[in-house]
Amino acid sequence: MSVIRFIVKRFIISIVTIFLLVTLSFFLLRTLPGNPFQTETLLTVEMQEKMMSYYGLDKPLFEQYLTYMQNLLQGDLGYSIKYRNRTVNEIIATSFPVSADLGLRALAVALPIGLFLGVLSARKRGKLTDYLCVLLSVIGVSIPSFILGSFLQYIFALKLQILPMAQWQTEWHTILPTIALALSLLAILTRVMRASMLEVMSQDYVKTAKAKGLSEGKIVRRHQIRNASIPILTMLGPMVTSVLMGTFVVEKIFALPGLGQHFINSITGLDYTVTLGLTVFFGIFMVFANFLVDIAYGIVDPRIRLMK
Amino acid sequence: MNKLFNKRFVGLSLLALLFGLAACSTTTGTETPPSENSDESNDVEQANIDQIFTFAGHNDMVSLDVSLINDEMSALIMYAINEGLVRNSYDEVVSGLADSYDISEDGLIYTFNLRDATWSDGVEVTADDFVYSFFRTLDPDTGSSQTSSFDSIVNAAAYASGELTEQSEVGIEALDDKTLQLTLAVNNPFFIDQLAQGTNFYPIRQDLVEEHGESYGSNPETFIGTGPFVLTSWEKESTIELEKNEVYWDAERITLDKVIELIIPDENTRVSMFELGDVDALYSISASQTVSFSDYGTYAGGTLQYLALNSDEGELLNNESLRKALSYAIDRESIVNAIASPGTEVAERMVDPSILIEGDPFTTLFPNSTNVPSGGDEEQALAYLEEALDQLGLSDPAELPDITYVSMDSPVHQQYAEALQENWRDKLNINVNLSILPVPQAIGALIEGDFDITLVSQSTGVNPDTLLKGFTVGNGNNYSNWENDAYSELITEQASNQDFNASMEQLQEAESILLESAATVPLWLPGSAYLVQDYVGDLHYGRQTGSIEFIYASILE
Amino acid sequence: MSRSEQFMIENPFERVGATDHANDPIVRPTISFWSDVRRRLIANRVAMFGLICIILILILAIIVPELSSYSYMDQNLSNTNAAPSRDHFFGTDSLGRDLWVRVWVGARVSLAVGIFGSIIPSVIGIVIGGISGYFGGFIDTIIMRAVDIIICIPSMIYVILIMLVFGSGPIPLIIAFALTGWMGAARDVRGLILQLKEREFVLASKLLGASHLSLIFKHLVPNTLGIVVVGMTMSVPGAIFQEAYLSFIGLGISPPIPSWGQLANLGTAVFRIYPYQLLIPALLISITMLSFNLFGDGLRDALDPKLRS
């Protein structure tokens, strides 16, 4: 019963959150001045006015808002202003799989390695292994991705010619962008896991387990890693969301047809419908991810399970 | 997602890699002499050369809907998969779907005789396809931003604005299945050039529009064309593939079997792919990238960049002497040499020198110039500055109110802005604030008059009046907000003047008024560099697309 | 006050005092918490290396532009893209400006954006998170839902909006970071406060009649400061990074004032031809981030009593 009530309550809160998110984004976006019907060569002013009225952008803002909300309720995110006859739903349907694919690959690389290095460096605290892990993790967060991406391309694609330069076609094409994206994730995960392990290692229940004579391996597996991964879980929700939603820099450098490019280009190009549609999609995904994380808490942390 | 850990893919690509290597070594081993003449190249057996041409573009195309497209990327593909009445080939107007055309004595009635051509699915092309297309573009319900290309045609503008709904009153008519007649409002000798250059004048299949509605032209399945190539695949933001259209009326002239466009937004990536041989051609290369290539082509024309100085009443730059001071201080030559793309030329006036009147450049027939040396004239500039300060009652340029230069955020525009800012600081000791904005906001500021100086990039068109007609009093495109009644009168008179030569003279006179006022400062005609691998033949860079024209290209070895 | 006075008057306890010889004498000198932190920080060679790098960069950023014979905006269009030489230690850029000076002027901008762009959002986050965590219940729910929503709105929208209102310079950028960056700090502080407010010293202060405000900002927040300060050192490179990222997109600080992000971005465009134009700013960004991270790590180890070995 209480589980169902918990889920229902979370669901209602999520709906309200998303509603407010859409409303706020809608009005914020429309306070941006500027004109979406432009490229670098100019349209005449009359033509711009004509286009504004064609898209209903000259109507009162609140009326436009109501129309948008009505369509949104039916799952219709509208037509892109730039890509005239493509709907935002279509754009998400073609671009999200690519971003999600790349994001999952990067996570699949970063998560196990990051956690492993974190545990390793915490257990070897103060030794050379620890310093190497820390150094790696610090380097990982210290190189901006547009520099890392360019260097990877330069070395592996242009000079050594062992991997393709760009685009998203075969398995070989996925390697460089995955590394470019995974390195910073890996670095963050290593740091958090190390800090969290160090914290857990000094806890009383670990000492108790030792006193009970549990084997070292069992203590590490059952007591330390399990408890130390709670902070990782907390950050995993937002991390997974942002990684799956695509990253502009990596997508641009490696010419990947992902969501990240649409996100940035639609904002700088004032393609209202695309920006709003992607924000809604992002919001729903984030809420859903956090919900899953909450459930995962219960599985990992016995204390939380008891509380419910 | 479906590709996740797909082992078969790895295997396949490994195989492909091996085969690719093998293929490379065989083609380099057995060379066939390159055929010089592309018209005959189809007769020559080129079995062992894959006629596949790959190039990289920086952006995806927007749409396949002839009525809607207004961007360079869509036009580039549309020109290959569809065709108009006439075609611009190697910068000359040649026949397209119209076999021939007649122009009436007074230059007002154009009659086009269509050839026996078919759409790529075998359906015959009729004059009605054009009539349908033109009216669809003009129809206010279509929401096209390109209706002004039809302005020369009788009543087209009225139809587009919704004032007129009767199609028979518009000068677009199918006399029979194979004859199309267009009636102009005034004699416009540039009309045929406009027809050849604009992709919005291509035909549209009514049955497809009715079948697919809003999604017409959003993917290859909803589009059929008449051009030398057929669109076979369009993976959004990734790859566009074209294949030769076997039923194209001039198919014998087409050598390429397949054209692939890769969408690569990042310039470093594009250039690296060219270096690796992944792509056969690139265009719009920035100045810095050309340094590492000894052999590249350049192309100029089609666009003019000028400074609009906000001359509105109450604005600081309402002062003509100050505008002149700013204009004379600019060293355009050094800026062009240092940062502009190769092929960029310093502009003397508001008309593009590549605009021809019966073969002769308009600019030599009707000369005009700002008289500002291309390297600037510091003495003259300081003299004008002194004059301006006197008029404003100031003693030092530091006392001038803030001057804001609004620039778009593209790297090139930003660099121009920085170079110009330094020119004014260095020579006149005038501090100009830069405001770098994303494109929509920069254009918003331009339209609202919320700037002192801004760089405007405008297409020069095929008619010398394209830019000049915007500077009349109250015109929405008069970005300088400059008001001169004599100028406006001249422009209005010349537009309806049926005597062509006299109208050009009026245009020249008007232009000299504008240049003398320094409300606009013509800067340069931006050029563009392109790279082509040695083994590609007959690739052209021209006016039709403003970039590469590949339909007659071939792979030589 | 009144309640504690009451305690004083009717104190049921009697003070008996302590005899000196009952205690063991303290042999070692007493070390306060902060001097211990300082001692351990100084002993941490890696962290000290980071600190020295930061100080060195700061000194160069202050001195170099003052001493150089070039200004960051002097152009020389006849000497563009020159390689590093004795005249121009780092070469010149595409407009012929001296990169040595531009890099150090850029350091001023980037460090200012980095430091203020991380302190200001942290302070906002502490205040909001503190209030949210302390009061809990309805206020907490409202604030945390608001955070959930605001975190989902693309920050680019604010950035463009702020740039349009305030122009494109370091200060608008810091404002933009303040508006978009406080949510993380608010969440962290709230979590910590939730734990801390059940602790005995809070109960004691409450008992002594401390007001809500003094409880939050005198007792609870100072206890979170250690972690927050570490978070701040770590987010300095984050802000520098974000400025670089905005430059990559074409937003950011308006020319001719350079920033590292802008220099790196311009360098990326030409790095195959003039690699030094990218390598120098990229290296400086990386060194700075490395230094702040190493120092932040050391600071955390020093601040955390549990990690005392």
Side-chain angles (χ1 to χ4, degrees), chain B residues 275-288:
Chain B
E275 223 167 282
L276 284 176
D278 290 350
V279 293
D280 303 331
L282 294 180
Y283 59 94
S284 297
I285 307 296
S286 68
S288 54

Side-chain angles (χ1 to χ4, degrees), chain B residues 268 275 288 415 418 425, chain C residues 73-74 94 97 268 272-273:
Chain B
N268 271 319
E275 223 167 282
S288 54
Q415 284 208 319
E418 286 180 69
R425 190 189 69 97
Chain C
M73 48 183 172
D74 284 339
S94 58
R97 295 176 291 202
T268 317
R272 290 153 25 86
I273 307 138

